[in-house]
Amino acid sequence: MSPVTTVIKEDMTHSSAGPNIPLSPQEQRVIKLFPGATLADWEDWRWQIRNRIRTLDQISKLMKLTPHEERGVKGAGDKLTMSIPPYFAALIDEKDPGCPIRLQSVPLDYEFETTPDEMLDPCGEDKSSVVHGLVHRYPDRVLFLVNEMCAMYCRYCTRSRMVGDGNHTLNTSTYDAALNYIREHKEVRDVLISGGDPLTLGDRMLEYLISSVKAIPHVEFVRIGTRIPVTLPQRITPELIAMFKKYSPLWMSVHFNHAVEVTPRVKHACNMIADAGIPMGSQTVLLRGVNDSPSVMKKLFHELLKIRVRPYYIYQCDPIVGSRHFRTTVETGINIIQHLRGHTTGYAVPTYVIDGPGGGGKIPISPDYVVSKENGRYTLRNFAGGLYTYVDPTY
Ligand SMILES: *Cc1c(COP(=O)(O)O)cnc(C)c1O
Ligand code: SF4
């Protein structure tokens, strides 16, 4: 081997920018699809966004598509386009059509089929919108949808009616209408900034939003709902973290679906977030073939606790148009909770919820631990199946 080859090889595996995490063999394979791309590019979230994999031609260079995928990629529309950051694409197992990352990110033609119970807006968000982009469903908190762009479009997205690049219907004047609404509603003490993915916005725009919300006296804290720490961990830069620290207390909900998403880069990003004093909760969508078994979920939640992310919700997959192939029975979700509660760390057990179709909000579903209830006598089943009686006090 000549010295030159050695140098190039080293350059391909170590980067001076960013967290200095060597490229995995898969990452080395993917970066070669972008002639001239450097390790600094790979560490640059804007490069990752610009170079998302969006065409049949590009994805075909990465893997041999199945006929269902090929039809899916060809048929995906303007909304919920295929869009996979090279970083995330490198997590795909190109030999396995059942790979959980692949199922979440590569369209299948099943998306074009629909059943009568499926809806375009299953959570009834448009109906509960008080001003454009602001959903006020619960008494003391609002959901502020600040953009429509994500790094990766999840194929089962509950907001597929609105997410996608190139829809620029939100701007500072719509933001100002939402901010005014919050100002006028003194009962709002918690503002959840989501989208799209708010972290696809630049630092300045994000700071404008967070600081404007925080400046409202009755708002106690801001939350950010995002999938970026998973699909594009490079976005979590020291500059972004420094900005976040100015607006403590800030909470973050991060959408995680599978343990393979917890890579060294994701660990690094979550460490930065946690070290900045930002508590993180995870939101996981129960998806057929991706995470619909107790062992897959348990592994994910154990990995999350190691990176200081507290499992928060498992969502039953919403009946979004074209989601049948992703949806499981409700029994599947109940069974998962039953296999977690008592069997592992309580912090590793999220709340399983169904978003009541049509706008009911999150409704918790749990295994039946109350076997019978009569005149204040409760017969209870514990995690191991044992029966216990609790009697209410009498006064
Ligand atoms: C999920 C959601 C919230 C936040 O709910 P929490 O249970 O407090 O996390 C708020 N508003 C809307 C419309 C939501 O869908
Ligand atoms: S990141 Fe969230 S909003 Fe964006 S496509 Fe995925 S589920 Fe939808």
Side-chain angles (χ1 to χ4, degrees), residues 131-133 144-147 167-181 183 201-202 204-213:
V131 298
H132 188 66
F144 187 4
L145 304 173
V146 300
N147 68 344
N167 315 309
H168 299 293
T169 55
L170 294 170
N171 52 44
T172 44
S173 71
T174 55
Y175 290 159
D176 289 344
L179 291 167
N180 275 332
Y181 178 92
R183 269 182 215 114
L201 297 173
R204 280 225 310 264
M205 185 56 92
L206 260 177
E207 180 159 16
Y208 168 77
L209 285 165
I210 298 171
S211 64
S212 305
V213 172

Side-chain angles (χ1 to χ4, degrees), residues 67-285:
H68 287 293
E69 288 171 331
E70 193 172 324
R71 288 193 291 269
V73 174
K74 280 182 181 157
D78 294 340
K79 297 276 162 76
L80 212 74
T81 46
M82 177 174 72
S83 158
I84 315 174
Y87 160 79
F88 201 66
L91 297 181
I92 292 178
D93 181 344
E94 79 276 11
K95 292 184 195 74
D96 178 13
C99 159
I101 301 298
R102 188 159 163 176
L103 288 173
Q104 292 183 70
S105 57
V106 180
L108 291 168
D109 58 356
Y110 302 120
E111 286 179 22
F112 315 131
E113 296 170 11
T114 190
T115 59
D117 52 305
E118 292 177 347
M119 302 171 225
L120 276 170
D121 178 19
C123 301
E125 290 177 338
D126 293 341
K127 203 177 68 185
S128 303
S129 274
V130 282
V131 298
H132 188 66
L134 198 69
V135 186
H136 193 178
R137 166 164 306 139
Y138 299 108
D140 65 345
R141 54 210 190 280
V142 290
L143 172 64
F144 187 4
L145 304 173
V146 300
N147 68 344
E148 299 172 348
M149 181 178 167
C150 302
M152 189 276 280
Y153 295 107
C154 312
R155 305 320 305 168
Y156 48 84
C157 177
T158 194
R159 301 202 182 110
S160 61
R161 69 185 184 285
M162 59 174 276
V163 301
D165 291 16
N167 315 309
H168 299 293
T169 55
L170 294 170
N171 52 44
T172 44
S173 71
T174 55
Y175 290 159
D176 289 344
L179 291 167
N180 275 332
Y181 178 92
I182 301 169
R183 269 182 215 114
E184 285 161 10
H185 287 78
K186 299 217 165 25
E187 70 276 21
V188 176
R189 41 167 287 287
D190 163 9
V191 176
L192 171 51
I193 296 180
S194 184
D197 197 314
L199 296 193
T200 57
L201 297 173
D203 292 4
R204 280 225 310 264
M205 185 56 92
L206 260 177
E207 180 159 16
Y208 168 77
L209 285 165
I210 298 171
S211 64
S212 305
V213 172
K214 280 285 300 211
I216 301 171
H218 52 271
V219 174
E220 294 171 4
F221 69 102
V222 174
R223 294 193 256 178
I224 294 178
T226 176
R227 186 146 166 68
I228 286 264
V230 180
T231 53
L232 186 52
Q234 287 90 335
R235 174 68 184 98
I236 310 302
T237 59
E239 295 73 30
L240 180 70
I241 293 291
M243 186 273 277
F244 282 165
K245 279 177 95 159
K246 293 197 268 174
Y247 301 99
S248 176
L250 188 67
W251 287 66
M252 198 181 272
S253 294
V254 188
H255 176 169
F256 273 100
N257 287 337
H258 196 283
V260 300
E261 294 168 352
V262 186
T263 65
R265 259 165 230 281
V266 168
K267 287 179 186 165
H268 178 81
C270 289
N271 261 330
M272 288 169 75
I273 297 167
D275 284 350
I278 301 168
M280 283 173 285
S282 69
Q283 319 204 76
T284 298
V285 183

